[in-house]
Amino acid sequence: MTGKLLFIYNPYAGKGKIRAELPDVIEVFAGNGYEVTVYPTRQTGDAVQCTRERGGGYDLIVCSGGDGTLDEVVTGIIESGRNVPVGYIPAGSTNDFGISLGLPKNMAEAARIAVNGRKFACDVGAFNQDTFVYIAAFGIFTDVSYETPQSFKNVLGHMAYILEGVKRLSGLRTYRMRAVYNGTEIEDEFLFGMITNSSSVGGFKKITGKYVELNDGLFEVMLIRKPKNALELNQIVISLMAESMESECIICGKTDRIVLEAGEETAWTLDGEFGGNHKTVTIENRPEAIVLMVPDDEKQS
């Protein structure tokens, strides 16, 4: 017997594909000598509670769902203080972090990596009192992921986020904010800001930068200033679509800690889920705080 495995899955993520794949996935676990406990989530927060209260009794935790499900499992592990290795079987609409880890779309293959892959110590983020895996963001588009209907996501994938976001372009809202990091201070009106540890956001690869390392102790920072005119707005859109970031309105950098102060309560998203309204947030990198199972031949970049 290899050990005890806790399998936490969201039966509604993506198109609910995991429900059809469940027998094959469990067979992979059992075939590798694991005694398997299966836990389907029913509502937001289930995975956090299950991992925090029960995860310490297992040798391996594997989760399947969107990046929000992974976020909950990682949060539960951090809160429990027991660093149990985590395998991830992506099953959401965009699976940004799964892409960053080099995980396959085939669920049985992802299950094999979860039990036979290489252990990788990965950075995670502290957001005030919360935890996030790969992104904390505010501004335009950031509420799209949790306000877009699940059925819409299931049909269109990451294009749903774009289409839903485009609806909002006619009424652009900006946020007066002061950002302090790396000994510098920037105060301006921003359309959008994100602090990430991922090579993919919203299904777009390399939008966070060319040299992303998931275990370097640093986050990638992007802040987009309010455009002065339609031309600057167009340049921003073109830069984002081309993944080039060549716009005077786009500020990029790396840091292990950033403090952002807003003039009013601002909505944030953490790993695609609503992260609350905040006037001041402190975001810090927790180097190699979680152990993830990744492909043996996949260099993290």
Side-chain angles (χ1 to χ4, degrees), residues 110-184:
R112 292 186 186 95
I113 291 169
V115 293
N116 290 319
R118 172 173 60 91
K119 290 182 179 180
F120 173 70
C122 185
D123 300 344
V124 298
F127 178 96
N128 289 350
Q129 304 303 314
D130 294 322
T131 298
F132 68 96
V133 175
Y134 76 98
I135 183 170
F138 70 88
I140 188 172
F141 297 140
T142 56
D143 58 350
V144 172
S145 60
Y146 53 81
E147 288 191 356
T148 304
Q150 183 65 55
S151 59
F152 194 29
K153 296 180 191 178
N154 290 347
V155 173
L156 296 177
H158 81 262
M159 279 301 298
Y161 299 98
I162 299 172
L163 295 175
E164 189 73 11
V166 166
K167 296 178 184 178
R168 304 155 191 259
L169 288 177
S170 61
L172 292 177
R173 180 182 176 185
T174 59
Y175 303 80
R176 168 61 62 174
M177 196 167 290
R178 184 171 73 100
V180 180
Y181 67 103
N182 293 345
T184 64

Side-chain angles (χ1 to χ4, degrees), residues 4-6 34 51-52 54-62 73-74 76-78 80-87 119-120 289-293:
K4 298 175 66 178
L5 185 154
L6 174 61
Y34 280 97
T51 305
R52 182 179 61 239
R54 301 170 58 181
Y58 292 85
D59 302 289
L60 177 66
I61 299 173
V62 181
V73 169
V74 170
I77 287 175
I78 296 295
S80 73
R82 297 169 178 168
N83 200 353
V84 182
V86 176
K119 290 182 179 180
F120 173 70
I290 196 77
V291 176
L292 300 173
M293 304 301 293

Side-chain angles (χ1 to χ4, degrees), residues 7-28:
F7 180 46
I8 301 173
Y9 75 97
N10 178 354
Y12 304 105
K15 298 180 181 180
K17 181 182 177 183
I18 185 61
R19 285 177 285 186
E21 302 283 341
L22 202 55
D24 292 338
V25 167
I26 294 176
E27 183 176 344
V28 170

